[in-house]
Amino acid sequence: MGPFVPDLISDQLNLVVALLLGIAFGFVLEQAGFSSSRKLAGVFYGYDFTVLRVFFTAAVTAMSGVVLLGALGLLDTDVIYVNPTWLLPAIVGGAIMGVGFVLGGYCPGTSVCAAAIGKVDAMFFVGGGLLGVLIFGELFPLYEGFYHSTDLGAITVFQSLGISQGVFAFALIVVAVAAFAITTRIERKVDPNGAPSLQFPVGSHRAAAAGVLLLGVVFLILPDRKTALVERFSDPQYIAAHPTAVMPVDELAFRIVDNEPNIRIIDIRSANAFTAAALPNAVNARIRDFFGKDWIPLLSPRHVKKVIVGENEQEERTAVLLLQDLGYENCTALEGGYGAFDRAILHPTGPVSTGSRWDADVNTFRAGARVDILKKIEESKHAVKVVKTAKKIQGGC
Amino acid sequence: MNTKYMNPYLAGVLLGLVLLATIFITGRGLGASGAIKSLVVFAVDGVAPAHAERSDFYGTYVGPGKDSPLKSWLVFEVAGVLIGGFISGLVSDRLKVVTESGPRIRPRARWFFAATGGALFGIGAQFARGCTSGAALSGMAVLSAAGFITMLAIFGTGYAVAYVFRRLWI
């Protein structure tokens, strides 16, 4: 499962990968004509829409790949770098760059590519870029507050629009195809004899447009794998039809008191509830964490019984079903959830009748277990409980 | 000998696949302005190390125990862009020292405006945390809100001011 950094590819090797990917990037940019400032500037004057065609096609291709690989479970989209949004700085910075694009006729990537084939104006652009960063750095205190303002975090565009990923991907493809068709007409009007689009084989372009629209329709019906699995196992009917192992509270209490090494308590309640009160040596997790690679070492040993502790048994059984589906064995829910354990063992309101002739023994056991487990909880508070959480990959310029 | 450019849609698909491969292998996108920033940070740190470490901007990247700013992913990637662009120019017979400009502007003026445009990109890319490649294109690929906002801001402003600067290009 991708990405391969940092687990399969080390930081050092990653630099070699960067060089190779950069070579491919530079080669394609140059072949596309991005080493020509007149071609690039054409997008703003209507005589050459190459920039829009290449840029939009590349964005749609890469986005489609990310969505498809994510849906197939081949790419862990929860750890890849999603550019964080600083709303106002992004708008102001984009506006400054927009003026720079019209004045300079390049953007940084294309200027490097154009300088490589001898374009003198591109060399001036790169020099200007260095100067610009220096000016920004020297005057940084003037706008440091603004630079850090309106920090919205790594939000996705479809979340902020309140629609699903599939609907957004479909809409983007429709917009792209429409933009290609409209700009081709504009281009031919502005320059009836020399428009680059006059060279196009029209038939194959129409076929490509139909194909990419079809792909868009696939996105509409393609569910996100993680969400789909969690939803399926959250369905009460599905849970009722698929019983899972359930551990009684007294058994868990006994195993904790017994210092049994081969149990692992995984608490899926919220971080707040977990911090407020949790079982000894429990680890806290969100259900979606189980998809990640970081949990494999903890979940995969078969001889260790994984006890899932949640707010209620329903939620625990969802987690157990998901873990089983992901290939982890020896997982069990806790009877009645954390609340039942708390009421029976940790903070009972009084002796409880279980209806059997062993009532006295049960109550004796629970009283002893309470003292022992509360002591263990106190001790484990000082220990580090957090499992290595999914490490976000650092990226960006 | 082939000086014709590639079909833009084919080039777009290839560019998209390069970007997708980057995300799949490394978990991050492509970029360009970050390498320019690393060069500047490296230079400032070389000339005035105390000044660089005190600064809230340069100080993030330099200081005791930190790798050289040049040992960054984007510096190596942009070095690759230089090589890749050169190879492409070589195979398509486009290697030529030349200044490209609109029909109504002299080379010196073109140089001035190219440098000014570059400077604006240098400044703008810091605010937006990336340029057309790192923020807009790579951001759009991972469906980041910032990617779409930056893309719209760049091209929207470009169209808004294009008429004012039309003498530069047409």
Side-chain angles (χ1 to χ4, degrees):
Chain A
M1 182 166 70
F4 301 147
V5 172
D7 291 337
L8 288 178
I9 294 181
S10 70
D11 287 350
Q12 306 286 333
L13 182 58
N14 197 10
L15 296 178
V16 180
V17 172
L19 186 75
L20 296 175
L21 288 166
I23 292 175
F25 184 32
F27 187 87
V28 177
L29 284 180
E30 209 290 323
Q31 285 295 317
F34 278 19
S35 56
S36 160
S37 53
R38 287 212 65 198
K39 251 182 130 47
L40 292 167
V43 75
F44 296 114
Y45 297 97
Y47 61 78
D48 190 333
F49 281 102
T50 302
V51 170
L52 179 118
R53 294 186 184 113
V54 177
F55 184 87
F56 224 156
T57 309
V60 166
T61 305
M63 176 209 69
S64 304
V66 170
V67 171
L68 281 176
L69 291 172
L72 295 171
L74 295 172
L75 176 68
D76 189 351
T77 48
D78 284 353
V79 302
I80 61 173
Y81 180 75
V82 175
N83 308 50
T85 302
W86 283 268
L87 185 60
L88 291 177
I91 295 171
V92 170
I96 295 172
M97 288 190 275
V99 179
F101 211 152
V102 173
L103 286 182
Y106 292 108
C107 60
T110 52
S111 71
V112 171
C113 176
I117 65 159
K119 295 282 170 69
V120 180
D121 46 333
M123 297 171 196
F124 275 92
F125 185 97
V126 175
L130 293 166
L131 190 67
V133 178
L134 185 68
I135 293 170
F136 180 90
E138 292 305 317
L139 301 179
F140 189 60
L142 289 181
Y143 35 70
E144 192 174 348
F146 175 73
Y147 178 78
H148 292 295
S149 68
T150 51
D151 180 0
L152 305 181
I155 52 168
T156 59
V157 63
F158 54 90
Q159 278 169 344
S160 25
L161 294 176
I163 55 177
S164 79
Q165 177 176 287
V167 170
F168 183 83
F170 172 74
L172 187 70
I173 287 177
V174 171
V175 170
V177 171
F180 295 152
I182 294 166
T183 52
T184 297
R185 282 172 177 260
I186 296 175
E187 193 178 87
R188 290 179 184 184
K189 225 167 220 170
V190 171
D191 189 356
N193 301 314
S197 54
L198 290 172
Q199 314 265 336
F200 292 163
V202 177
S204 52
H205 281 209
R206 289 210 173 124
V212 76
L213 282 172
L214 203 66
L215 180 69
V217 175
V218 171
F219 289 140
L220 276 183
I221 50 174
L222 184 80
D224 169 36
R225 170 175 167 265
K226 295 181 185 179
T227 312
L229 278 177
V230 172
E231 271 173 13
R232 184 164 113 215
F233 297 137
S234 303
D235 177 18
Q237 284 183 345
Y238 186 92
I239 294 175
H242 297 78
T244 66
V246 176
M247 185 182 279
V249 288
D250 287 311
E251 183 184 339
L252 181 62
F254 180 81
R255 285 172 183 253
I256 295 174
V257 171
D258 197 34
N259 289 320
E260 146 111 54
N262 291 331
I263 60 163
R264 181 45 113 171
I265 301 170
I266 299 172
D267 195 324
I268 56 168
R269 294 173 305 151
S270 71
N272 284 340
F274 179 76
T275 319
L279 296 177
N281 300 315
V283 289
N284 193 214
R286 305 277 79 77
I287 280 193
R288 282 178 78 96
D289 289 348
F290 298 146
F291 290 102
K293 285 187 277 200
D294 295 325
W295 285 79
I296 294 176
L298 189 132
L299 294 169
S300 56
R302 284 185 215 173
H303 64 281
V304 175
K305 190 175 273 297
K306 274 74 69 178
V307 185
I308 308 298
V309 178
E311 291 292 352
N312 52 56
E313 201 178 305
Q314 190 95 345
E315 166 185 307
E316 293 171 349
R317 285 171 65 174
T318 299
V320 171
L321 287 168
L322 175 68
L323 285 168
Q324 284 172 351
D325 192 77
L326 293 172
Y328 298 115
E329 296 170 41
N330 206 358
C331 306
T332 176
L334 173 67
E335 188 178 20
Y338 182 84
F341 190 88
D342 192 57
R343 282 190 300 276
I345 312 286
L346 299 180
H347 303 99
T349 42
V352 186
S353 169
T354 58
S356 78
R357 45 197 274 248
W358 312 108
D359 265 0
D361 292 344
V362 168
N363 281 316
T364 313
F365 165 74
R366 287 184 177 180
R370 173 163 65 247
V371 176
D372 187 78
I373 294 175
L374 285 175
K375 203 175 99 202
K376 284 200 168 82
I377 290 177
E378 206 45 50
E379 284 166 6
S380 83
K381 266 187 188 156
H382 303 294
V384 182
K385 282 186 227 165
V386 181
V387 167
K388 189 177 65 153
T389 46
K391 35 191 183 270
K392 270 284 192 184
I393 291 167
Q394 286 305 303
C397 283
Chain B
M1 296 284 196
N2 171 26
T3 52
K4 256 184 70 183
Y5 294 118
M6 193 184 277
N7 176 300
Y9 299 112
L10 177 61
V13 170
L14 290 179
L15 182 57
L17 290 177
V18 172
L19 178 54
L20 179 61
T22 307
I23 295 168
F24 185 70
I25 296 170
T26 71
R28 51 157 304 144
L30 296 163
S33 63
I36 294 176
K37 176 173 72 186
S38 294
L39 268 181
V40 173
V41 172
F42 175 76
V44 171
D45 189 41
V47 175
H51 171 66
E53 276 182 46
R54 260 201 323 273
S55 158
D56 283 339
F57 178 63
Y58 309 119
T60 326
Y61 312 99
V62 294
K66 287 197 181 125
D67 278 335
S68 159
L70 293 189
K71 199 187 159 193
S72 84
W73 199 91
L74 284 169
V75 169
F76 279 74
E77 182 238 81
V78 169
V81 172
L82 263 176
I83 300 169
F86 181 82
I87 296 173
S88 166
L90 192 67
V91 298
S92 294
D93 199 21
R94 281 193 286 265
L95 295 180
K96 196 176 172 197
V97 178
V98 64
T99 295
E100 200 184 0
S101 60
R104 294 196 284 172
I105 178 173
R106 283 196 306 247
R108 286 223 177 154
R110 168 75 189 116
W111 294 345
F112 170 76
F113 284 111
T116 310
L120 289 174
F121 253 105
I123 294 167
Q126 303 317 310
F127 282 114
R129 275 79 169 176
C131 57
T132 334
S133 330
L137 182 60
S138 300
M140 285 166 74
V142 293
L143 294 167
S144 140
F148 286 87
I149 294 165
T150 310
M151 184 271 294
L152 288 174
I154 293 176
F155 287 100
T157 314
Y159 278 108
V161 302
Y163 185 76
V164 181
F165 299 111
R166 65 191 180 283
R167 279 185 65 88
L168 298 180
W169 299 106
I170 51 176

